Amino acid sequence: MNPSSPAELDVPMIMRIGAARLTAGLDRMTRLDLKAHGEVFGPLPRTSADDLIAMAAQVDLRGQGGAAFPFARKLQVVVDTAKKTGQPTIVVVNAAEGEPGSFKDKMLMIRSPYLILSGAALVAEAIDAEEIVVGVTSSELANRSIEAAIAAEPGLRKMVRVVQQPERFISGQSGALIRGINGKKPLPPGRKTLAAERGVDDLPTLLSNASTFAQVSVLALLGPARFAAVGVPEEPGTVLLSVSGSAKHAAVVECPTGVPLGAVLDICQAPAGDGVLVGGYHGMWLDAEAAYQVPVSREGLAAAGGTLGAGIVLPLGDGTCPLGEVSRVANYLAGESAGQCGPCRLGLPSIARALAALVDGSGGIEALDVARRAAATVNGRGSCAHPDGTTRFVLSALEVFAEDLAAHVFHSTCGRPVRGVLPLPEGPETADARQLIVDWVRCEGHGLCAHLVPELVHLDKTGYPVIMPIPVPPWLEKDAQQAVDMCPALALRLAADPKKRAAGQGGHTSAPLPLQAQTARTSLLGVRPAGGRSITAG
């Protein structure tokens, strides 16, 4: 028996502006199993690669993972490469939703898994792919839902496998996901490679976000004309937005493109306050006035100084210190880097330390200069997009929160606490993560730790260590252990933060996901019967 409500599954609620497409049926059912999916959507019409490319190009379907790469172009490269090399193809569903503020893919995986899988199956058949690989992280409930959906459909059982990646911010980066699937360390490659040309097992690979494959399903069901019946003409259709932050009702919101972002904030009861972050932690900030007026679209948000990215919307509200919130996230992003280049290893920690000094009042104008210089040095010089995205987030904040920044620079504080409005990872995994901890009774200020681990430790004006309050990244574990072993005063240790551990042990554990026994083995692909049920066009 299925759970009676999404709350029992600890799944974000769904809200809609306009008719449901990607969320069709979820107002009536908690989870669409195989039978329910067939009743709501029906089987997808089979299509050739050329027809699928033409449909995607006609509506300018873009990837939903953040980069917004044209789906038709990516599909064409895979087809052309396969023809040129004579190699088979692979389809990869990127469901490794590593960004803390994003949960649209998780929602679809838990509540409408076949919308993702049927889109992937349609693409796989069109390009004659040998295999579908679903890349996931550690969301147990979402993973069990996807695995149960695969097990219940005979065709999927034969060609789909699930590969789990570590729960990290960079896990969803396409190059990191491909490396992980290939059995290597799941880190972004040092140089840019196209999965469409050389991906899983060095074969031409069509890799796209889980929500993108859900959009493919909707496009195939409706056709280009009906798909484009809602939204702005340049970017037709609906989008899924993950809205949290100050929102009273954190939710996945489905809305047509062109809807004012203010309407989305209003239905979630999400006050903008000092500003709204759009596009996630590699995105940009908008002030409240701009946020309420800007249309939800790539072009609309870009014109206002923002970005749609992966559809993450994080209003800040009024009761928290904006600069303190930005500092928390900057610390997190510095610790989430792959550590493969100087901008990540040294530049991001420098930015994070400067922001922390601004927040606690010890830095002043000097810390602001350091933050800006470090951001300028890092930008455009990393081996992946992580340093550029982080500096974009920070520099945008320094511009939008100019008033709060001035209060910290000239008066040491804005007078507001840091309430933790912006989401960061939590739970048993983060609670047990080790970080450097100083025993201040023993510390004598030798400063050796700052020389051994400059990425995590720097010295204050008195010569005592200031340690970044983040878990030690995997690539720094050896250096951190050496700093502990060589501390002359035996004042340094590697241990889990007691406060985080206590919080993690008291955290919520998801209940098992009840699944209905399947009584019918419905094909996801096939000629749709006349008069069959379908989602609405608008």
Side-chain angles (χ1 to χ4, degrees), residues 119-132:
L122 179 73
V123 174
E125 183 179 89
I127 64 175
D128 198 23
E130 281 195 339
E131 183 182 41
I132 298 172

Side-chain angles (χ1 to χ4, degrees), residues 485-512:
D485 295 341
M486 294 184 67
C487 177
L490 302 179
L492 199 62
R493 60 192 174 95
L494 267 174
D497 185 331
K499 294 180 181 178
K500 289 183 179 179
R501 172 164 283 183
Q505 289 174 346
H508 174 75
T509 302
S510 297

